[in-house]
Amino acid sequence: MSLGDYVRFLRALKGGPTPWQIETDTGIAPGIYRQIEQRYRSIGDEQLLEKMAAYFGVAAEELRWRQHWPRKGLTAALVDAQESGRPLTLVLRNSETLTGAVQWWDLGAVEIRQADGASLVVQRHMVDRWE
């Protein structure tokens, strides 16, 4: 799960404060928090991640490693798996893994057909990483 997807999830868990409220409460420069949620790329430095981690009550490392698993990286892996016919393994937030052929994908979900023929649709925001 990208950093943007993860902080959007944390924001919902916190009751849905607005991005502007988060920036005010943390001292993050105006517009930066929204960019993190919406741009799906690595934005920010160590100090920013520390502020966000403290605000959401999570370890900074939980935010830091997600910068290396961008949403665009998942899209590239899905395209490659679908075009090549190679199976893709998705590691989900709950630590479950799914391996299989990518049947289709869009900005919100992906369908994986497993070796036993079972198909599962997974919301992309549940994917922590992929192999």
Side-chain angles (χ1 to χ4, degrees), residues 5-126:
D5 287 338
Y6 188 61
V7 296
R8 190 177 306 110
F9 169 74
L10 292 174
R11 183 162 65 95
L13 287 178
K14 197 165 179 79
T18 67
W20 302 276
Q21 187 62 49
I22 293 169
E23 290 169 346
T24 298
D25 291 351
T26 61
I28 294 172
I32 296 297
Y33 180 84
R34 285 194 65 210
Q35 286 184 22
I36 291 169
E37 274 196 12
Q38 296 175 356
R39 300 278 187 217
Y40 304 122
R41 64 178 180 222
S42 182
I43 296 173
D45 57 14
E46 190 64 30
Q47 185 179 19
L48 175 77
L49 294 177
E50 293 286 341
K51 288 178 180 180
M52 288 175 29
Y55 179 80
F56 288 120
V58 299
E61 182 57 32
E62 186 64 20
L63 301 179
R64 192 176 301 114
W65 77 268
R66 292 178 187 283
Q67 288 186 309
H68 303 290
W69 295 93
R71 186 176 264 256
K72 287 181 180 183
L74 177 55
T75 297
L78 292 168
V79 168
D80 180 61
Q82 192 172 38
E83 289 178 354
S84 70
R86 287 190 299 268
L88 182 66
T89 298
L90 303 178
V91 181
L92 306 182
R93 289 205 55 222
N94 63 1
S95 299
E96 182 180 351
T97 61
L98 300 174
T99 300
V102 176
Q103 299 300 296
W104 61 264
W105 62 272
D106 63 18
L107 293 178
V110 57
E111 180 183 0
I112 299 289
R113 183 175 311 277
Q114 298 176 297
D116 65 4
S119 284
L120 296 168
V121 175
V122 177
Q123 292 183 346
R124 285 178 61 146
H125 70 269
M126 287 301 295

